[in-house]
Coordinates of all heavy atoms in Angstrom, one line a residue:
M1 N -61.8 -15.4 -6.7 CA -62.4 -16.7 -6.9 C -61.4 -17.8 -6.6 O -61.8 -18.9 -6.1 CB -62.9 -16.7 -8.4 CG -63.6 -17.9 -8.7 SD -65.2 -17.9 -7.9 CE -65.9 -19.4 -8.5
R2 N -60.2 -17.6 -6.9 CA -59.2 -18.6 -6.7 C -59.0 -18.9 -5.2 O -58.8 -20.1 -4.8 CB -57.8 -18.1 -7.3 CG -56.7 -19.1 -7.2 CD -55.5 -18.5 -8.0 NE -54.4 -19.4 -7.9 CZ -53.2 -19.2 -8.4 NH1 -53.0 -18.1 -9.0 NH2 -52.3 -20.1 -8.3
D3 N -59.1 -17.9 -4.4 CA -59.0 -18.1 -2.9 C -60.2 -18.9 -2.4 O -60.0 -19.7 -1.5 CB -58.9 -16.7 -2.2 CG -57.6 -16.0 -2.6 OD1 -56.6 -16.7 -2.9 OD2 -57.6 -14.8 -2.5
W4 N -61.4 -18.6 -2.9 CA -62.6 -19.3 -2.5 C -62.4 -20.8 -2.8 O -62.8 -21.7 -2.0 CB -63.8 -18.8 -3.1 CG -64.3 -17.5 -2.5 CD1 -64.0 -16.2 -2.9 CD2 -65.0 -17.4 -1.3 NE1 -64.6 -15.3 -2.0 CE2 -65.2 -16.0 -1.0 CE3 -65.5 -18.3 -0.4 CZ2 -65.9 -15.5 0.1 CZ3 -66.3 -17.8 0.7 CH2 -66.4 -16.5 1.0
I5 N -62.0 -21.1 -4.0 CA -61.8 -22.5 -4.3 C -60.8 -23.2 -3.4 O -61.0 -24.3 -3.0 CB -61.4 -22.6 -5.8 CG1 -62.5 -22.2 -6.7 CG2 -60.9 -24.0 -6.2 CD1 -62.1 -22.0 -8.2
A6 N -59.7 -22.5 -3.2 CA -58.6 -23.0 -2.3 C -59.2 -23.3 -0.9 O -58.9 -24.3 -0.3 CB -57.5 -22.1 -2.2
V7 N -60.0 -22.4 -0.4 CA -60.6 -22.5 1.0 C -61.5 -23.7 1.0 O -61.5 -24.5 2.0 CB -61.2 -21.2 1.5 CG1 -62.1 -21.5 2.7 CG2 -60.2 -20.2 1.7
I8 N -62.4 -23.8 0.0 CA -63.4 -24.9 0.0 C -62.7 -26.2 -0.1 O -63.1 -27.2 0.6 CB -64.4 -24.6 -1.1 CG1 -65.3 -23.4 -0.8 CG2 -65.3 -25.9 -1.4 CD1 -66.2 -23.0 -2.0
V9 N -61.8 -26.3 -1.0 CA -61.1 -27.6 -1.1 C -60.3 -28.0 0.1 O -60.2 -29.1 0.5 CB -60.2 -27.6 -2.4 CG1 -59.4 -28.8 -2.5 CG2 -61.1 -27.4 -3.7
A10 N -59.7 -27.0 0.7 CA -58.9 -27.2 2.0 C -59.8 -27.7 3.1 O -59.5 -28.6 3.8 CB -58.1 -26.0 2.4
V11 N -61.0 -27.1 3.2 CA -61.9 -27.5 4.3 C -62.4 -28.9 4.0 O -62.5 -29.7 4.9 CB -63.1 -26.5 4.3 CG1 -64.2 -27.0 5.2 CG2 -62.6 -25.1 4.9
L12 N -62.7 -29.2 2.8 CA -63.2 -30.6 2.5 C -62.1 -31.6 2.7 O -62.3 -32.7 3.2 CB -63.6 -30.7 1.0 CG -65.0 -30.0 0.7 CD1 -65.2 -30.0 -0.8 CD2 -66.1 -30.6 1.5
G13 N -60.8 -31.2 2.4 CA -59.7 -32.1 2.7 C -59.5 -32.4 4.1 O -59.3 -33.5 4.6
V14 N -59.6 -31.3 4.9 CA -59.5 -31.5 6.4 C -60.6 -32.3 7.0 O -60.4 -33.2 7.8 CB -59.4 -30.1 7.1 CG1 -59.6 -30.2 8.6 CG2 -58.1 -29.4 6.7
L15 N -61.8 -32.1 6.5 CA -63.0 -32.9 6.9 C -62.8 -34.4 6.6 O -63.1 -35.3 7.4 CB -64.3 -32.4 6.3 CG -64.7 -31.0 6.9 CD1 -66.0 -30.6 6.2 CD2 -65.0 -31.2 8.4
L16 N -62.3 -34.7 5.4 CA -62.1 -36.1 5.0 C -61.0 -36.7 5.9 O -61.1 -37.9 6.3 CB -61.7 -36.2 3.5 CG -62.8 -36.0 2.5 CD1 -62.3 -36.0 1.1 CD2 -63.9 -37.0 2.7
V17 N -59.9 -36.0 6.1 CA -58.9 -36.6 7.0 C -59.4 -36.8 8.4 O -59.1 -37.9 9.0 CB -57.6 -35.6 7.0 CG1 -56.6 -36.1 8.1 CG2 -57.0 -35.6 5.6
L18 N -60.1 -35.9 8.9 CA -60.7 -36.0 10.3 C -61.7 -37.2 10.3 O -61.8 -37.9 11.3 CB -61.4 -34.7 10.8 CG -60.4 -33.6 11.1 CD1 -61.1 -32.3 11.5 CD2 -59.4 -34.0 12.2
A19 N -62.5 -37.3 9.3 CA -63.5 -38.4 9.2 C -62.8 -39.8 9.2 O -63.2 -40.7 9.8 CB -64.4 -38.3 8.0
G20 N -61.7 -39.8 8.4 CA -60.9 -41.1 8.4 C -60.3 -41.4 9.8 O -60.3 -42.5 10.2
A21 N -59.8 -40.4 10.5 CA -59.3 -40.6 11.8 C -60.4 -41.0 12.8 O -60.1 -41.9 13.6 CB -58.6 -39.3 12.3
V22 N -61.6 -40.4 12.7 CA -62.7 -40.9 13.5 C -63.0 -42.3 13.3 O -63.3 -43.1 14.2 CB -63.9 -39.9 13.3 CG1 -65.1 -40.5 14.0 CG2 -63.6 -38.5 13.9
L23 N -63.1 -42.7 12.0 CA -63.4 -44.1 11.7 C -62.3 -45.1 12.3 O -62.7 -46.1 12.8 CB -63.4 -44.3 10.2 CG -64.7 -43.9 9.5 CD1 -64.6 -44.1 8.0 CD2 -65.9 -44.6 10.0
I24 N -61.1 -44.7 12.2 CA -60.0 -45.5 12.8 C -60.2 -45.6 14.3 O -60.1 -46.7 14.9 CB -58.6 -45.0 12.5 CG1 -58.4 -45.2 11.0 CG2 -57.5 -45.6 13.3 CD1 -57.1 -44.5 10.5
V25 N -60.5 -44.5 15.0 CA -60.7 -44.5 16.5 C -62.0 -45.4 16.8 O -61.9 -46.2 17.7 CB -60.8 -43.1 17.0 CG1 -61.3 -43.1 18.4 CG2 -59.5 -42.4 16.9
L26 N -63.0 -45.2 16.1 CA -64.3 -46.0 16.3 C -64.0 -47.4 16.1 O -64.6 -48.3 16.9 CB -65.4 -45.5 15.5 CG -66.0 -44.1 15.8 CD1 -67.1 -43.7 14.9 CD2 -66.5 -44.1 17.3
Q27 N -63.3 -47.8 15.1 CA -63.0 -49.2 14.9 C -62.1 -49.8 16.0 O -62.3 -50.9 16.4 CB -62.3 -49.4 13.5 CG -62.0 -50.8 13.2 CD -61.3 -50.9 11.8 OE1 -60.9 -50.0 11.3 NE2 -61.2 -52.1 11.3
A28 N -61.2 -49.0 16.5 CA -60.4 -49.4 17.6 C -61.2 -49.6 18.9 O -60.9 -50.5 19.7 CB -59.2 -48.5 17.8
L29 N -62.2 -48.7 19.1 CA -62.9 -48.8 20.3 C -64.1 -49.8 20.3 O -64.6 -50.3 21.3 CB -63.5 -47.4 20.6 CG -62.6 -46.3 21.0 CD1 -63.3 -45.0 21.2 CD2 -61.7 -46.7 22.2
G30 N -64.5 -50.2 19.1 CA -65.6 -51.2 18.9 C -65.2 -52.6 19.2 O -64.1 -52.9 19.6
D31 N -66.2 -53.4 19.2 CA -66.0 -54.9 19.5 C -65.2 -55.5 18.3 O -65.5 -55.3 17.1 CB -67.3 -55.6 19.6 CG -68.1 -55.1 20.9 OD1 -67.4 -54.7 21.8 OD2 -69.3 -55.2 20.9
R32 N -64.2 -56.2 18.7 CA -63.4 -56.9 17.7 C -64.0 -58.3 17.5 O -64.3 -59.0 18.5 CB -61.9 -57.0 18.1 CG -61.3 -55.7 18.1 CD -59.8 -55.9 18.4 NE -59.2 -54.5 18.4 CZ -57.9 -54.4 18.6 NH1 -57.1 -55.4 18.7 NH2 -57.4 -53.2 18.6
P33 N -64.0 -58.8 16.3 CA -64.5 -60.2 16.1 C -63.4 -61.1 16.7 O -62.2 -60.9 16.5 CB -64.7 -60.3 14.6 CG -63.8 -59.3 14.0 CD -63.8 -58.1 15.0
A34 N -63.9 -62.2 17.3 CA -62.9 -63.2 17.9 C -62.2 -63.9 16.8 O -62.8 -64.3 15.8 CB -63.7 -64.1 18.8
R35 N -60.9 -64.1 16.9 CA -60.2 -64.9 16.0 C -60.5 -66.3 16.2 O -60.5 -66.8 17.3 CB -58.7 -64.6 16.2 CG -58.2 -63.2 15.8 CD -56.8 -63.0 16.1 NE -56.0 -63.8 15.2 CZ -54.7 -63.8 15.2 NH1 -54.0 -63.1 16.1 NH2 -54.0 -64.5 14.3
P36 N -60.7 -67.1 15.1 CA -60.9 -68.5 15.3 C -59.7 -69.2 15.8 O -58.6 -68.9 15.4 CB -61.3 -69.0 13.9 CG -60.7 -68.0 13.0 CD -60.7 -66.7 13.7
A37 N -59.9 -70.0 16.9 CA -58.8 -70.7 17.5 C -58.3 -71.8 16.6 O -59.1 -72.5 16.0 CB -59.2 -71.2 18.8
P38 N -57.0 -72.1 16.5 CA -56.5 -73.2 15.7 C -57.0 -74.5 16.3 O -57.2 -74.6 17.5 CB -55.0 -73.1 15.7 CG -54.7 -71.8 16.5 CD -56.0 -71.3 17.0
V39 N -57.3 -75.5 15.4 CA -57.7 -76.8 15.9 C -56.5 -77.7 15.9 O -55.8 -77.9 14.9 CB -58.8 -77.3 14.9 CG1 -59.2 -78.7 15.3 CG2 -60.0 -76.4 14.9
A40 N -56.3 -78.3 17.1 CA -55.2 -79.2 17.2 C -55.6 -80.6 16.9 O -56.8 -81.0 17.1 CB -54.7 -79.2 18.7
P41 N -54.7 -81.5 16.3 CA -55.1 -82.8 16.0 C -55.2 -83.7 17.3 O -54.6 -83.4 18.3 CB -54.0 -83.3 15.1 CG -52.8 -82.4 15.5 CD -53.4 -81.1 15.9
V42 N -56.0 -84.8 17.1 CA -56.1 -85.7 18.2 C -54.8 -86.5 18.3 O -54.2 -86.9 17.3 CB -57.3 -86.7 17.9 CG1 -57.4 -87.8 19.0 CG2 -58.6 -85.9 17.9
P43 N -54.2 -86.7 19.5 CA -52.9 -87.4 19.7 C -52.9 -88.8 19.0 O -51.8 -89.1 18.4 CB -52.7 -87.5 21.2 CG -53.6 -86.4 21.7 CD -54.8 -86.3 20.8
D44 N -53.9 -89.6 19.1 CA -53.8 -90.9 18.6 C -54.0 -91.0 17.1 O -53.5 -91.9 16.4 CB -54.7 -91.9 19.3 CG -56.2 -91.4 19.2 OD1 -56.4 -90.3 18.8 OD2 -57.1 -92.2 19.5
N45 N -54.7 -90.0 16.5 CA -54.9 -90.0 15.1 C -54.7 -88.5 14.6 O -55.6 -87.7 14.7 CB -56.3 -90.5 14.7 CG -56.5 -90.6 13.2 OD1 -55.6 -90.3 12.5 ND2 -57.7 -91.1 12.8
P46 N -53.6 -88.2 14.0 CA -53.3 -86.8 13.7 C -54.1 -86.2 12.6 O -54.1 -85.0 12.3 CB -51.8 -86.8 13.3 CG -51.4 -88.2 13.2 CD -52.5 -89.1 13.8
D47 N -54.8 -87.1 11.8 CA -55.6 -86.6 10.7 C -57.0 -86.1 11.1 O -57.7 -85.4 10.4 CB -55.8 -87.7 9.7 CG -54.5 -88.1 9.0 OD1 -53.6 -87.2 8.9 OD2 -54.4 -89.2 8.6
T48 N -57.5 -86.4 12.3 CA -58.8 -85.9 12.7 C -58.6 -84.8 13.7 O -57.7 -84.7 14.4 CB -59.6 -87.1 13.5 OG1 -58.8 -87.5 14.6 CG2 -59.8 -88.2 12.6
A49 N -59.6 -83.8 13.6 CA -59.5 -82.6 14.4 C -60.3 -82.8 15.7 O -61.2 -83.7 15.8 CB -60.1 -81.5 13.7
L50 N -60.0 -82.1 16.7 CA -60.8 -82.1 18.0 C -62.1 -81.5 17.8 O -62.3 -80.6 16.9 CB -60.0 -81.3 19.1 CG -58.7 -81.9 19.6 CD1 -58.1 -81.0 20.5 CD2 -59.0 -83.2 20.3
T51 N -63.1 -81.9 18.6 CA -64.4 -81.3 18.5 C -64.4 -79.9 19.1 O -65.1 -79.0 18.7 CB -65.5 -82.1 19.2 OG1 -65.1 -82.4 20.5 CG2 -65.6 -83.4 18.4
E52 N -63.6 -79.7 20.1 CA -63.4 -78.4 20.8 C -62.0 -77.8 20.5 O -61.0 -78.5 20.8 CB -63.6 -78.5 22.3 CG -65.0 -78.9 22.7 CD -65.1 -78.9 24.2 OE1 -64.2 -78.3 24.9 OE2 -66.1 -79.5 24.7
P53 N -62.0 -76.6 19.8 CA -60.6 -76.1 19.5 C -59.9 -75.7 20.8 O -60.5 -75.3 21.8 CB -61.0 -74.9 18.6 CG -62.4 -74.6 18.9 CD -63.0 -75.8 19.4
I54 N -58.6 -75.8 20.7 CA -57.7 -75.4 21.8 C -57.3 -74.0 21.5 O -56.7 -73.7 20.4 CB -56.5 -76.3 21.9 CG1 -57.0 -77.7 22.2 CG2 -55.5 -75.8 23.0 CD1 -55.9 -78.8 22.2
A55 N -57.5 -73.1 22.4 CA -57.1 -71.7 22.3 C -55.6 -71.5 22.4 O -55.0 -72.0 23.3 CB -57.8 -70.8 23.3
V56 N -55.0 -70.8 21.5 CA -53.6 -70.5 21.5 C -53.4 -69.0 21.8 O -54.1 -68.2 21.2 CB -52.9 -70.9 20.1 CG1 -51.5 -70.5 20.1 CG2 -53.1 -72.3 19.8
P57 N -52.5 -68.7 22.7 CA -52.3 -67.3 23.0 C -51.8 -66.5 21.8 O -51.1 -67.1 21.0 CB -51.3 -67.3 24.1 CG -51.1 -68.7 24.6 CD -51.7 -69.5 23.6
V58 N -52.2 -65.2 21.7 CA -51.8 -64.4 20.5 C -50.3 -64.3 20.4 O -49.8 -64.3 19.3 CB -52.5 -63.1 20.6 CG1 -52.1 -62.2 19.4 CG2 -54.0 -63.2 20.6
A59 N -49.6 -64.3 21.6 CA -48.2 -64.1 21.5 C -47.5 -65.4 21.0 O -46.4 -65.3 20.5 CB -47.7 -63.9 23.0
A60 N -48.2 -66.5 21.0 CA -47.6 -67.7 20.5 C -47.7 -67.8 19.0 O -47.0 -68.6 18.3 CB -48.3 -68.9 21.1
L61 N -48.6 -67.0 18.4 CA -48.7 -67.1 16.9 C -47.6 -66.3 16.3 O -47.0 -65.3 16.8 CB -50.0 -66.4 16.5 CG -51.3 -67.1 17.0 CD1 -52.5 -66.3 16.6 CD2 -51.4 -68.5 16.4
P62 N -47.1 -66.8 15.1 CA -46.0 -66.1 14.4 C -46.4 -64.7 14.0 O -47.5 -64.5 13.5 CB -45.7 -67.0 13.2 CG -46.9 -67.8 13.0 CD -47.6 -67.9 14.3
A63 N -45.4 -63.8 14.1 CA -45.7 -62.4 13.7 C -45.5 -62.3 12.2 O -44.7 -62.9 11.6 CB -44.7 -61.5 14.4
E64 N -46.4 -61.5 11.6 CA -46.4 -61.2 10.2 C -45.4 -60.2 9.9 O -45.3 -59.2 10.6 CB -47.8 -60.8 9.8 CG -48.0 -60.8 8.3 CD -49.4 -60.4 7.9 OE1 -50.2 -60.1 8.8 OE2 -49.7 -60.4 6.7
P65 N -44.5 -60.4 8.9 CA -43.5 -59.4 8.6 C -44.1 -58.0 8.2 O -45.2 -58.0 7.7 CB -42.8 -60.0 7.4 CG -43.3 -61.3 7.2 CD -44.5 -61.5 8.0
I66 N -43.4 -57.0 8.5 CA -43.9 -55.6 8.2 C -44.1 -55.4 6.7 O -45.0 -54.7 6.4 CB -42.9 -54.5 8.8 CG1 -43.5 -53.1 8.7 CG2 -41.6 -54.6 8.1 CD1 -44.4 -52.8 9.9
S67 N -43.3 -55.9 5.9 CA -43.5 -55.7 4.4 C -44.8 -56.3 4.0 O -45.5 -55.6 3.1 CB -42.3 -56.3 3.7 OG -42.2 -57.7 3.9
S68 N -45.2 -57.4 4.4 CA -46.5 -58.0 4.0 C -47.6 -57.2 4.6 O -48.7 -57.1 3.9 CB -46.6 -59.5 4.3 OG -46.5 -59.7 5.7
R69 N -47.5 -56.7 5.8 CA -48.6 -55.9 6.4 C -48.7 -54.6 5.6 O -49.9 -54.1 5.3 CB -48.3 -55.6 7.8 CG -48.5 -56.8 8.7 CD -48.4 -56.4 10.2 NE -47.0 -56.2 10.5 CZ -46.5 -55.6 11.6 NH1 -47.4 -55.2 12.5 NH2 -45.3 -55.5 11.8
L70 N -47.6 -53.9 5.2 CA -47.7 -52.7 4.4 C -48.3 -53.0 3.1 O -49.1 -52.2 2.6 CB -46.3 -52.1 4.3 CG -45.8 -51.4 5.6 CD1 -44.3 -50.9 5.3 CD2 -46.6 -50.3 6.0
F71 N -47.9 -54.1 2.4 CA -48.4 -54.4 1.1 C -49.9 -54.7 1.2 O -50.7 -54.3 0.3 CB -47.7 -55.6 0.5 CG -48.1 -56.0 -0.9 CD1 -47.9 -55.1 -1.9 CD2 -48.8 -57.1 -1.1 CE1 -48.3 -55.4 -3.2 CE2 -49.3 -57.5 -2.3 CZ -49.0 -56.6 -3.4
G72 N -50.3 -55.4 2.3 CA -51.7 -55.7 2.5 C -52.6 -54.4 2.7 O -53.7 -54.3 2.2
A73 N -52.0 -53.4 3.4 CA -52.7 -52.2 3.6 C -52.8 -51.4 2.3 O -53.9 -50.7 2.1 CB -51.9 -51.3 4.7
V74 N -51.8 -51.4 1.5 CA -51.9 -50.7 0.2 C -52.9 -51.5 -0.8 O -53.6 -50.9 -1.5 CB -50.5 -50.5 -0.4 CG1 -50.6 -50.0 -1.8 CG2 -49.7 -49.6 0.5
K75 N -52.8 -52.8 -0.7 CA -53.6 -53.6 -1.6 C -55.1 -53.5 -1.4 O -55.9 -53.4 -2.3 CB -53.1 -55.1 -1.5 CG -53.7 -56.0 -2.4 CD -53.2 -57.4 -2.2 CE -54.0 -58.4 -3.0 NZ -53.5 -59.8 -2.7
S76 N -55.4 -53.5 -0.1 CA -56.9 -53.4 0.2 C -57.1 -52.4 1.4 O -57.1 -52.8 2.5 CB -57.4 -54.8 0.6 OG -56.7 -55.3 1.7
P77 N -57.1 -51.1 1.0 CA -57.3 -50.1 2.1 C -58.7 -50.1 2.7 O -59.7 -50.5 2.1 CB -57.0 -48.8 1.4 CG -57.4 -49.1 0.0 CD -57.1 -50.5 -0.3
T78 N -58.7 -49.8 4.0 CA -60.0 -49.7 4.7 C -60.7 -48.4 4.3 O -60.1 -47.5 3.7 CB -59.8 -49.7 6.2 OG1 -59.0 -48.5 6.5 CG2 -59.0 -50.9 6.7
P79 N -62.0 -48.3 4.5 CA -62.7 -47.0 4.2 C -62.0 -45.8 4.9 O -62.0 -44.7 4.3 CB -64.1 -47.2 4.7 CG -64.3 -48.7 4.6 CD -62.9 -49.3 4.9
A80 N -61.5 -46.0 6.1 CA -60.9 -44.8 6.8 C -59.6 -44.4 6.0 O -59.3 -43.2 5.9 CB -60.5 -45.3 8.2
D81 N -58.8 -45.4 5.6 CA -57.6 -45.1 4.8 C -58.0 -44.3 3.5 O -57.3 -43.4 3.1 CB -56.8 -46.3 4.5 CG -56.3 -47.0 5.7 OD1 -56.1 -46.3 6.7 OD2 -56.0 -48.2 5.7
R82 N -59.1 -44.8 2.9 CA -59.5 -44.1 1.6 C -59.9 -42.6 1.9 O -59.5 -41.7 1.1 CB -60.6 -44.8 1.0 CG -60.2 -46.1 0.3 CD -61.3 -46.7 -0.5 NE -61.2 -48.1 -0.5 CZ -62.1 -48.9 0.0 NH1 -63.1 -48.5 0.6 NH2 -61.8 -50.2 0.0
L83 N -60.6 -42.4 3.0 CA -61.0 -41.0 3.3 C -59.7 -40.2 3.6 O -59.7 -39.0 3.1 CB -61.9 -41.0 4.6 CG -63.3 -41.4 4.4 CD1 -64.0 -41.5 5.7 CD2 -64.0 -40.4 3.5
I84 N -58.8 -40.7 4.3 CA -57.6 -39.9 4.6 C -56.8 -39.7 3.3 O -56.3 -38.6 3.1 CB -56.7 -40.7 5.6 CG1 -57.4 -40.7 7.0 CG2 -55.3 -40.1 5.8 CD1 -56.8 -41.5 8.0
F85 N -56.7 -40.7 2.4 CA -56.0 -40.5 1.2 C -56.6 -39.4 0.3 O -55.9 -38.5 -0.2 CB -56.0 -41.8 0.4 CG -55.5 -41.7 -1.0 CD1 -54.1 -41.6 -1.2 CD2 -56.3 -41.7 -2.1 CE1 -53.6 -41.4 -2.5 CE2 -55.9 -41.6 -3.4 CZ -54.5 -41.5 -3.6
W86 N -57.9 -39.4 0.2 CA -58.6 -38.4 -0.7 C -58.5 -37.0 0.0 O -58.5 -36.0 -0.6 CB -60.1 -38.8 -0.9 CG -60.1 -39.8 -2.0 CD1 -60.5 -41.1 -1.8 CD2 -59.7 -39.7 -3.4 NE1 -60.4 -41.8 -3.0 CE2 -59.9 -41.0 -4.0 CE3 -59.3 -38.7 -4.1 CZ2 -59.6 -41.2 -5.3 CZ3 -59.0 -38.9 -5.5 CH2 -59.2 -40.1 -6.1
G87 N -58.5 -37.0 1.4 CA -58.4 -35.7 2.1 C -57.0 -35.1 1.8 O -56.9 -33.9 1.6
I88 N -56.0 -36.0 1.8 CA -54.6 -35.4 1.5 C -54.6 -34.9 0.0 O -54.0 -33.9 -0.2 CB -53.6 -36.5 1.7 CG1 -53.5 -36.8 3.3 CG2 -52.2 -36.2 1.2 CD1 -52.7 -38.0 3.6
I89 N -55.2 -35.7 -0.9 CA -55.2 -35.2 -2.3 C -55.9 -33.8 -2.4 O -55.4 -32.9 -3.1 CB -55.9 -36.2 -3.2 CG1 -55.2 -37.5 -3.2 CG2 -56.2 -35.7 -4.6 CD1 -53.8 -37.5 -3.9
L90 N -57.0 -33.7 -1.7 CA -57.7 -32.4 -1.7 C -56.9 -31.3 -1.1 O -56.9 -30.1 -1.5 CB -59.1 -32.5 -1.0 CG -60.2 -33.2 -1.8 CD1 -61.4 -33.3 -1.0 CD2 -60.4 -32.5 -3.1
L91 N -56.1 -31.6 0.0 CA -55.3 -30.6 0.6 C -54.2 -30.1 -0.3 O -53.8 -29.0 -0.4 CB -54.7 -31.1 1.9 CG -55.7 -31.2 3.1 CD1 -55.1 -31.9 4.3 CD2 -56.2 -29.8 3.5
V92 N -53.6 -31.1 -1.1 CA -52.6 -30.7 -2.0 C -53.2 -29.9 -3.2 O -52.6 -28.9 -3.6 CB -51.9 -32.0 -2.6 CG1 -51.0 -31.7 -3.8 CG2 -51.1 -32.7 -1.5
L93 N -54.4 -30.2 -3.6 CA -55.0 -29.4 -4.7 C -55.3 -28.0 -4.1 O -55.2 -27.0 -4.9 CB -56.3 -30.1 -5.1 CG -56.1 -31.4 -6.0 CD1 -57.4 -32.0 -6.3 CD2 -55.3 -31.0 -7.3
A94 N -55.7 -27.9 -2.9 CA -56.0 -26.6 -2.3 C -54.7 -25.8 -2.2 O -54.7 -24.5 -2.5 CB -56.6 -26.7 -0.9
A95 N -53.6 -26.4 -1.9 CA -52.3 -25.7 -1.9 C -51.9 -25.2 -3.2 O -51.4 -24.1 -3.4 CB -51.2 -26.6 -1.2
I96 N -52.2 -26.0 -4.3 CA -51.9 -25.6 -5.6 C -52.8 -24.5 -6.0 O -52.3 -23.5 -6.6 CB -52.0 -26.8 -6.6 CG1 -50.9 -27.8 -6.3 CG2 -52.0 -26.4 -8.1 CD1 -51.1 -29.1 -7.1
A97 N -54.1 -24.6 -5.7 CA -55.0 -23.5 -6.1 C -54.7 -22.2 -5.3 O -54.9 -21.1 -5.9 CB -56.5 -23.9 -5.8
A98 N -54.2 -22.3 -4.1 CA -53.9 -21.1 -3.4 C -52.5 -20.4 -3.8 O -52.2 -19.3 -3.4 CB -53.9 -21.4 -1.9
G99 N -51.8 -21.2 -4.5 CA -50.5 -20.7 -5.0 C -49.3 -21.1 -4.1 O -48.2 -20.6 -4.3
A100 N -49.6 -21.9 -3.0 CA -48.5 -22.3 -2.1 C -47.6 -23.2 -2.8 O -46.4 -23.3 -2.5 CB -49.1 -22.9 -0.9
I101 N -48.1 -24.0 -3.8 CA -47.3 -24.9 -4.6 C -47.5 -24.5 -6.0 O -48.6 -24.3 -6.5 CB -47.8 -26.4 -4.4 CG1 -47.6 -26.8 -3.0 CG2 -47.0 -27.3 -5.4 CD1 -48.2 -28.2 -2.8
S102 N -46.4 -24.2 -6.7 CA -46.5 -23.8 -8.1 C -45.5 -24.7 -8.9 O -44.5 -25.2 -8.4 CB -46.2 -22.3 -8.3 OG -44.8 -22.1 -7.9
F103 N -45.9 -24.8 -10.2 CA -45.1 -25.6 -11.1 C -44.6 -24.6 -12.2 O -45.4 -23.8 -12.7 CB -45.9 -26.7 -11.7 CG -46.3 -27.7 -10.7 CD1 -47.6 -27.7 -10.3 CD2 -45.5 -28.7 -10.2 CE1 -48.1 -28.6 -9.3 CE2 -45.9 -29.6 -9.3 CZ -47.2 -29.6 -8.8
D104 N -43.4 -24.7 -12.6 CA -42.8 -23.9 -13.6 C -42.2 -24.8 -14.7 O -41.2 -25.4 -14.5 CB -41.8 -22.9 -13.1 CG -41.3 -21.9 -14.1 OD1 -42.0 -21.7 -15.1 OD2 -40.2 -21.4 -13.9
F105 N -42.9 -24.8 -15.8 CA -42.4 -25.6 -16.9 C -41.8 -24.7 -18.0 O -42.5 -23.7 -18.4 CB -43.5 -26.5 -17.6 CG -44.1 -27.5 -16.6 CD1 -45.3 -27.3 -16.1 CD2 -43.4 -28.6 -16.3 CE1 -45.9 -28.2 -15.2 CE2 -43.9 -29.5 -15.4 CZ -45.1 -29.3 -14.9
G106 N -40.7 -24.9 -18.4 CA -40.1 -24.1 -19.4 C -39.1 -24.8 -20.3 O -38.5 -25.8 -19.9
A107 N -38.9 -24.3 -21.4 CA -37.9 -24.9 -22.3 C -37.0 -23.8 -22.8 O -37.5 -22.6 -23.1 CB -38.6 -25.6 -23.5
K108 N -35.8 -24.1 -23.0 CA -34.8 -23.1 -23.5 C -34.1 -23.6 -24.7 O -33.5 -24.7 -24.7 CB -33.8 -22.7 -22.3 CG -32.9 -21.7 -22.7 CD -32.0 -21.4 -21.5 CE -31.0 -20.3 -21.8 NZ -30.1 -20.0 -20.7
G109 N -34.2 -22.8 -25.7 CA -33.5 -23.2 -27.0 C -32.2 -22.5 -27.0 O -32.0 -21.4 -26.7
G110 N -31.2 -23.3 -27.4 CA -29.9 -22.7 -27.4 C -29.5 -22.3 -28.8 O -29.9 -22.8 -29.8
S111 N -28.7 -21.3 -28.9 CA -28.2 -20.8 -30.2 C -26.7 -20.6 -30.2 O -26.1 -20.5 -29.2 CB -28.9 -19.6 -30.7 OG -28.8 -18.5 -29.8

């Protein structure tokens, strides 16, 4: 019975990880929403905006630091990231159920 549980949980974990990977690939292949172009001020009056925004190349925009990108990914994960996370949890549980990972808790009293 223990082996059956390990197999079922492992299969579900693999399916969740694959589903997350498929979502990431589909999102990468799909249409991306256009980033709104920054609006430049009018030269003679810097407080008013132009009626037509001026497009700025993506390379000209400042790069976001890696630490803030990682924190943002952990703070608000995408559905694909959640699927992969739960798939990994199920794979670890399957390894524990199969006996590949074991915990040994013990206490020793001295005399």
Side-chain angles (χ1 to χ4, degrees):
M1 184 68 176
R2 185 176 177 181
D3 293 336
W4 283 97
I5 292 172
V7 168
I8 290 170
V9 174
V11 168
L12 288 175
V14 168
L15 288 176
L16 285 175
V17 170
L18 289 176
V22 167
L23 283 178
I24 290 173
V25 169
L26 288 177
Q27 184 179 9
L29 294 177
D31 293 334
R32 293 184 181 187
R35 293 176 70 180
V39 177
V42 176
D44 58 345
N45 187 359
D47 294 331
T48 59
L50 291 174
T51 55
E52 294 182 16
I54 298 172
V56 176
V58 176
L61 297 175
E64 191 176 4
I66 187 86
S67 59
S68 63
R69 286 187 288 168
L70 287 175
F71 183 69
V74 171
K75 185 178 169 185
S76 58
T78 63
D81 294 336
R82 285 189 211 115
L83 282 175
I84 292 172
F85 172 75
W86 285 111
I88 291 171
I89 296 294
L90 284 177
L91 288 172
V92 169
L93 288 175
I96 292 170
I101 299 174
S102 63
F103 299 102
D104 185 22
F105 296 107
K108 182 178 182 183
S111 54

